[in-house]
Amino acid sequence: MGKNLYSCANLLLLLVPASVLGFGRFSYDENDDSRGPDNWKLLDDVKNNYWQKFHLVNADKNECGDEGSEQSPVNLKRTTKCKGDHHMLYKYGSCKIDDVDFKIEPWGLEGHYPRHGRGCDAPNLDIADSFHRRAATRFDLKIPSEHTMDGKRYDAEFYVAHVENTEKKNKDNRGNLVAMTSVLFDVDGDKKNEWLEELIDGWEDVAKKEKRRCAGYSDSAPDEAPDESAPANNRYTGCYKDTKRNRMFSYEAQSSDASTDKCAELCKGYRFFARQYKGQCFCGNRDDYDRHGSSSSCDCEGSNVGGYLACVYETASAKRKNRRLKKKDWHLHAPFKKQHYYGYKGSLTMPPCSDSVFWYIMNNKQKISKGQLQRLKDLIAGYRDKSCRLGTYADKNGSVARPLQSSRGRSIFQCTNKDY
């Protein structure tokens, strides 16, 4: 599904005139001679970008091609000693995951917290590199990773921007700089990352709302837009393989001709249901339904899903129960706790590429399942603009990662367990 979405999106972008897209549109396609990464320096519409709301951050000019600036991302290889003397110190704040404003943008996936002092208190941290305690303002997810470690690129990268100081006495301390913490993700078979699953749920909720909007449904409409692959209030978890001798779910509710809605009805009371082959319907409570592996070949909306392939859904009642339990223990900075990290002075990785960022990238990688990675790719590929046209800036491989930039002899420090 992901490859088809990218192909459609790229075709539509070719058909849309520049006057509609605006001069500020850019592309991650290195073969795009007008808007690709090598030509971001030509973009002249960098005003009113997100970072200008922070008046001390200098983000009013395009620095993407400035040879005198320190650009990101870079390959991480230690060149100097650690500059920290303790782990990053975190406070959870009062904001919950439901307070996050999830966004699907043409350049990737985002989440935004209320600005400091304008709502709930966002999570905050104290970095041991001359930064005082700062509130998280937004986070981004990129596929694949933008930074590399010793030349290796990973499957995804998640980073959190911290801009505003939380204590009045330090209000303007290093206010022209963004403290960016980052963690890389590596695919590890079919085992889900439960922390990341909460974020994926948030972005998938946005995707559903967009689908409703483009289908002509108002936000106040009580029912979901008709969608055979995702019936109202049930969450699609992915496409998975099954076997005849070791079924993912043991209870077969109907042997054929069950629609997705019918299967959902038959499996009320169970945690999950799966539609297979020509309408086989299975119900179950096992959460290791992905034990045979994931796939990208399911035709969830078709009459034949595929041989020993299953479109799996979490039922509405189970979703509500699980989300209540998991959300209570979910914390933004969990992947960064008690971690050691690389650090260097760099830039934003999207236009205007302002070189006002101190990056802190964790040494240890987090795991992500194949299915989760595919869902993230599908979310990025499925971005629709205000006119409901597909319009991702990703390249043909689904990448929304800026190519590596020269480190130009910059100092890159690394902290390990030998430092503190």
Side-chain angles (χ1 to χ4, degrees), residues 231-248:
N233 301 320
N234 296 300
R235 181 176 67 84
Y236 174 68
T237 68
C239 170
Y240 298 97
K241 299 174 183 178
D242 202 3
T243 65
K244 186 175 182 179
R245 293 187 177 182
N246 183 15
R247 288 288 189 184
M248 60 171 61

Side-chain angles (χ1 to χ4, degrees), residues 54-66:
F54 306 102
H55 68 281
L56 293 178
V57 177
N58 182 17
D60 57 356
K61 66 176 182 178
N62 188 342
E63 297 184 41
C64 296
D66 186 345

Side-chain angles (χ1 to χ4, degrees), residues 327-371:
K327 281 183 179 180
K328 182 179 179 181
D329 298 323
W330 189 90
H331 302 295
L332 174 69
H333 291 122
F336 305 98
K337 286 183 180 179
K338 296 184 179 180
Q339 295 293 312
H340 296 90
Y341 49 88
Y342 287 90
Y344 77 100
K345 171 69 164 51
S347 74
L348 301 173
T349 59
M350 295 181 288
C353 308
S354 308
D355 69 342
S356 54
V357 180
F358 269 82
W359 283 92
Y360 303 94
I361 303 96
M362 305 303 108
N363 292 343
N364 293 330
K365 275 66 68 178
Q366 295 288 310
K367 299 298 184 181
I368 182 176
S369 74
K370 293 178 182 178

Side-chain angles (χ1 to χ4, degrees), residues 135-151:
T137 57
R138 66 178 277 177
F139 53 77
D140 292 71
L141 190 139
K142 296 289 188 177
I143 292 177
S145 70
E146 296 195 296
H147 290 90
T148 60
M149 286 189 182
D150 291 324

Side-chain angles (χ1 to χ4, degrees), residues 36-323:
D38 287 343
N39 291 292
W40 288 2
K41 59 187 177 183
L42 303 178
L43 298 174
D44 59 3
D45 182 17
V46 297
K47 294 183 178 180
N48 300 317
N49 65 73
Y50 169 84
W51 301 101
Q52 285 186 318
K53 66 177 66 177
F54 306 102
H55 68 281
L56 293 178
V57 177
N58 182 17
D60 57 356
K61 66 176 182 178
N62 188 342
E63 297 184 41
C64 296
D66 186 345
E67 294 185 359
S69 65
E70 298 173 312
Q71 291 293 295
S72 297
V74 299
N75 177 50
L76 299 169
K77 192 169 185 178
R78 178 174 180 163
T79 64
T80 189
K81 64 181 182 180
C82 174
K83 293 184 179 181
D85 59 4
H86 63 75
H87 289 295
M88 296 180 185
L89 305 176
Y90 301 97
K91 287 186 178 179
Y92 295 143
S94 62
C95 289
K96 307 300 181 186
I97 193 169
D98 286 334
D99 295 310
V100 174
D101 181 14
F102 286 91
K103 295 177 181 291
I104 300 174
E105 299 289 2
W107 49 79
L109 305 174
E110 297 178 359
H112 295 254
Y113 281 99
R115 287 188 63 180
H116 182 60
R118 303 184 184 183
C120 61
D121 293 326
N124 60 78
L125 62 76
D126 175 6
I127 301 174
D129 185 24
S130 300
F131 279 103
H132 294 287
R133 190 169 292 281
R134 289 187 168 207
T137 57
R138 66 178 277 177
F139 53 77
D140 292 71
L141 190 139
K142 296 289 188 177
I143 292 177
S145 70
E146 296 195 296
H147 290 90
T148 60
M149 286 189 182
D150 291 324
K152 180 178 179 179
R153 189 178 299 280
Y154 290 84
D155 295 300
E157 182 169 356
F158 176 85
Y159 52 83
V160 185
H162 307 81
V163 184
E164 296 176 302
N165 290 295
T166 61
E167 300 173 350
K168 288 184 179 181
K169 63 180 181 180
N170 301 319
K171 181 180 178 181
D172 294 330
N173 178 261
R174 306 186 87 184
N176 62 320
L177 300 172
V178 179
M180 199 83 76
T181 57
S182 172
V183 63
L184 310 184
F185 284 84
D186 198 19
V187 164
D188 181 25
D190 299 301
K191 185 176 181 180
K192 285 184 180 180
N193 181 312
E194 293 299 336
W195 176 87
L196 184 62
E197 185 68 18
E198 290 296 307
L199 297 177
I200 297 176
D201 278 352
W203 286 310
E204 287 181 337
D205 286 344
V206 172
K208 287 180 182 179
K209 290 178 181 177
E210 280 295 281
K211 194 162 189 176
R212 284 165 55 86
R213 178 180 69 84
C214 293
Y217 283 70
S218 67
D219 289 339
S220 59
D223 298 316
E224 293 280 354
D227 179 2
E228 183 71 6
S229 68
N233 301 320
N234 296 300
R235 181 176 67 84
Y236 174 68
T237 68
C239 170
Y240 298 97
K241 299 174 183 178
D242 202 3
T243 65
K244 186 175 182 179
R245 293 187 177 182
N246 183 15
R247 288 288 189 184
M248 60 171 61
F249 302 128
S250 58
Y251 175 58
E252 184 179 16
Q254 189 164 312
S255 60
S256 64
D257 299 326
S259 67
T260 310
D261 286 329
K262 178 63 175 178
C263 191
E265 180 70 24
L266 292 170
C267 294
K268 278 187 176 180
Y270 288 88
R271 287 186 61 193
F272 305 101
F273 65 90
R275 183 171 178 265
Q276 299 190 26
Y277 192 42
K278 297 183 178 180
Q280 279 180 291
C281 175
F282 291 88
C283 315
N285 294 316
R286 296 183 59 166
D287 57 10
D288 62 345
Y289 53 80
D290 55 357
R291 60 189 178 278
H292 302 306
S294 61
S295 174
S296 59
S297 301
C298 288
D299 183 3
C300 295
E301 300 183 40
S303 59
N304 189 339
V305 175
Y308 293 106
L309 295 176
C311 297
V312 179
Y313 303 84
E314 183 180 30
T315 61
S317 58
K319 179 182 176 183
R320 286 193 294 271
K321 180 179 179 182
N322 283 342
R323 288 297 295 274

